[in-house]
Amino acid sequence: MTRSASVPSFGARLAAEFAAGRHLCVGIDPHAGLLSGWGLDDSAAGAERMGRDVVAASAGVAAAIKPQISFFERFGSAGFVALERVLADAREAGVIVVGDVKRGDIGSTFAAYAEAWLAPGSPLEVDAMTVAPYMGFDTLSGAFPFVREHGKGLFVLAATSNPEARMMQTAVRPDGQTLAASVVESANAWNASEHAADTVGSVGVVLGATLTLSDFGIDTAVRVTPALPVLAPGFGHQGAKVEDAAEIFGGIGYAVLANESRSILDGGGVGLAGRVRERAALITEALDDR
């Protein structure tokens, strides 16, 4: 079965956002400290209020939002109800949602994760999900039917900013390639095979903006076709500067989703819309010539 012509690919949806000059991805991380700063209870209701306010402020301004699922999950069933309401708001507003779920497993187990987060009509349906490839890139195949047939996307962990991951992600395979570089290569190959007609692929990677990507064996000099979507955490509070985005990502920088959370969420709900607009304008300026 192939995707209906009426359903755009995830890559096509990203391409439309980039063409409109939107590259910002607003993280929704309702942990206790941020909720307190918003004057909200550390509860499912507080997380829901923050999430829905971020959706409202991001619509038409940011390219996407990225709820960190763990901060909802910690409240159990009430947290998932809160998350479902945030996701419903985003769907109604037409905002792309990247579910930061970091799932990775094998066989029917991973397929069930993919169904939970990517199946049309699922209460937890998002547009794309973050996934972990450390049991092998091919173990992600349970999600590929949703990418092909329903316009969904994946962001595969490749080179992340946390120092604990560096030893694994820079490990060298027998063919001389780092694990991080092999993930990038696999994502590029999948896009070239499945989405060759698109300007932007539907399977992307997570690359930390605070990293020197060459240290991970990742070559940023060559711009691939279709463009590789890059979910890039690390801007703002973590230290990476949006002004440096073009230098950081080089030839793969066209399809960057620059994720910011703390720099936008700090300060509470008052002034939220202004902070989203400000950060969105900065990353657009940094990448508008690519």
Side-chain angles (χ1 to χ4, degrees):
M1 181 179 178
T2 57
R3 188 177 69 252
S4 166
S6 64
V7 179
S9 69
F10 180 68
R13 292 185 65 191
L14 286 181
E17 294 297 319
F18 300 149
R22 292 188 286 267
H23 286 267
L24 177 65
C25 179
V26 182
I28 303 177
D29 302 343
H31 59 69
L34 280 175
L35 289 170
S36 176
W38 280 53
L40 297 171
D41 291 337
D42 185 22
S43 65
E48 177 184 338
R49 182 70 274 150
M50 176 184 284
R52 298 180 80 171
D53 285 354
V54 169
V55 171
S58 300
V61 180
I65 60 168
K66 182 177 73 64
Q68 171 46 259
I69 304 307
S70 63
F71 291 117
F72 292 88
E73 189 174 302
R74 65 198 179 104
F75 298 119
S77 59
F80 280 107
V81 170
L83 176 61
E84 289 171 16
R85 291 171 178 162
V86 173
L87 298 180
D89 280 4
R91 281 192 291 273
E92 184 175 352
V95 179
I96 290 175
V97 180
V98 178
D100 198 353
V101 300
K102 298 184 178 73
R103 297 298 195 252
D105 215 307
I106 59 174
S108 60
T109 304
F110 181 77
Y113 284 135
E115 184 176 0
W117 295 102
L118 300 178
S122 167
L124 296 172
E125 180 187 359
V126 296
D127 300 294
M129 63 188 286
T130 58
V131 293
Y134 300 118
M135 294 186 188
F137 190 90
D138 288 345
T139 63
L140 306 178
S141 62
F144 294 158
F146 297 102
V147 178
R148 292 188 184 102
E149 299 162 18
H150 300 294
K152 299 301 184 179
L154 301 177
F155 284 98
V156 190
L157 302 181
T160 58
S161 298
N162 60 306
E164 301 90 347
R166 189 180 186 93
M167 181 177 294
M168 175 181 290
Q169 292 168 351
T170 58
V172 178
R173 306 190 319 176
D175 62 2
Q177 191 175 49
T178 65
L179 179 58
S182 75
V183 171
V184 171
E185 182 181 81
S186 294
N188 278 329
W190 198 92
N191 288 329
S193 172
E194 300 282 345
H195 290 278
D198 290 344
T199 57
V200 177
S202 292
V203 173
V205 294
V206 178
L207 301 177
T210 58
L211 302 175
T212 300
L213 294 176
S214 59
D215 292 346
F216 290 75
I218 297 172
D219 181 4
T220 62
V222 179
R223 181 168 171 172
V224 298
T225 302
L228 176 69
V230 175
L231 179 62
F235 289 106
H237 182 78
Q238 294 183 48
K241 297 179 180 179
V242 294
E243 297 87 345
D244 298 332
E247 180 181 352
I248 294 167
F249 295 105
I252 61 175
Y254 168 73
V256 166
L257 276 178
N259 184 77
E260 295 199 31
S261 177
R262 187 73 65 87
S263 58
I264 292 172
L265 299 182
D266 275 350
V270 177
L272 173 66
R275 293 193 298 276
V276 173
R277 287 194 300 270
E278 177 186 1
R279 301 308 295 179
L282 284 173
I283 190 62
T284 296
E285 183 179 356
L287 294 172
D288 63 359
D289 292 329
R290 300 204 64 75

